Amino acid sequence: MLYYSIVFLVIALIAAALGFGGIAGTATGIAKLLFLVFLVLFVVSLVLGRRPPVS
């Protein structure tokens, strides 16, 4: 998930440098969304991973 976020960020930076405003904005939005999803999943896995096993 983090990999795709970084890929879309790189695409956004390249598109912004070349002057493609619409593509850069879309890729930036996707990168932000994927990063937030990754962050939420990471926090959830940290919380659930530290609980003692239920017997």
Side-chain angles (χ1 to χ4, degrees), residues 5-44:
S5 176
I6 292 171
V7 167
F8 276 107
L9 181 63
V10 169
I11 291 171
L13 291 174
I14 292 171
L18 296 177
F20 300 116
I23 297 171
T26 303
T28 303
I30 293 171
K32 285 180 184 178
L33 178 67
L34 287 175
F35 182 75
L36 287 175
V37 169
F38 167 77
L39 195 61
V40 167
L41 290 175
F42 175 70
V43 170
V44 167

Side-chain angles (χ1 to χ4, degrees), residues 4 6 10 12 15 25 27 35-36 41-42 45 47 50-51 54-55:
Y4 291 123
I6 292 171
V10 169
F35 182 75
L36 287 175
L41 290 175
F42 175 70
S45 69
V47 170
R50 293 185 181 253
R51 290 186 3 197
V54 178
S55 52

